[in-house]
Amino acid sequence: AYLVTLWTYGIEPLFADRATAALFFHVLGALRRRLGFRLHAYVVLPDRVRLILGTAGADMRWMRLTVHRLKSRFAREVNTRSGRLGLVWQDADQTLALHGADEVRRRADFLHHNPVMAGLAREPGEWRWSSYLAWVGRGRTPVAVDLPVAEADRRAAHVLRTT
């Protein structure tokens, strides 16, 4: 799995607009269905997107190609719909390899707390544009996620204990 951070061009708060954030999730979901990558966790903040993505065989080249396609597809869509021209994303993005389900869980927890640390929400569950609710099993999220095996097993064990 990989933790990917994408910044908007000029750190513009592009995703403060609900329609733009919804469009990003539409593009992300469609590309996921088409390419078949795993989406473990995400958060969309006004000026950036953080994703934890999984690939078959942990191929960094495939991950870079997937991120490039996501950025270009979204940029084309948002520019077409808004009638604007120009850059949408910073050229640089950050991709960090994650090793094992425990590291994915730790990074997802940090990622889900980003809106709280940025002063955008008091609790992670208040932020609409993240996968937090799927991780805690309390509701729907803009795009479904693939929980790491250890996390899915832990949640199943909790459900069995409470029933």
Side-chain angles (χ1 to χ4, degrees):
Y2 296 90
L3 172 62
V4 178
T5 303
L6 311 172
W7 288 273
T8 60
Y9 186 74
I11 314 298
E12 179 184 344
L14 187 65
F15 299 110
D17 174 59
R18 293 173 73 119
T20 303
L23 176 62
F24 177 80
F25 286 116
H26 174 75
V27 170
L28 177 64
L31 198 60
R32 177 183 178 205
R33 285 187 298 278
R34 188 169 176 193
L35 298 179
F37 59 85
R38 290 183 306 281
L39 177 62
H40 295 300
Y42 57 84
V43 66
V44 173
L45 301 170
D47 61 351
R48 77 192 67 154
V49 172
R50 302 192 93 183
L51 309 160
I52 298 179
L53 304 175
T55 65
D59 185 349
M60 178 62 96
R61 291 172 300 172
W62 192 88
M63 181 55 56
R64 290 193 191 284
L65 179 61
T66 300
V67 169
H68 173 75
R69 290 181 75 178
L70 175 61
K71 288 170 68 174
S72 63
R73 175 76 42 94
F74 175 73
R76 187 171 44 248
E77 288 288 328
V78 78
N79 281 343
T80 298
R81 291 180 187 213
S82 66
R84 68 180 229 159
L85 299 173
L87 299 173
V88 173
W89 300 106
Q90 299 273 355
D91 282 339
D93 47 74
Q94 182 182 43
T95 303
L96 175 68
L98 305 179
H99 305 286
D102 286 339
E103 188 174 5
V104 169
R105 183 183 40 75
R106 279 194 340 272
R107 295 293 184 152
D109 186 50
F110 175 75
L111 177 148
H112 291 136
H113 280 83
N114 282 186
V116 175
M117 292 183 291
L120 299 168
R122 289 174 296 160
E123 304 271 336
E126 293 176 359
W127 189 248
R128 174 182 187 158
W129 308 116
S130 87
S131 58
Y132 176 80
L133 293 178
W135 274 74
V136 297
R138 289 198 342 233
R140 293 173 28 108
T141 56
V143 179
V145 294
D146 303 301
L147 296 176
V149 174
E151 186 66 24
D153 290 345
R154 190 172 63 81
R155 181 169 319 133
H158 174 72
V159 169
L160 289 174
R161 283 193 307 268
T162 58
T163 56

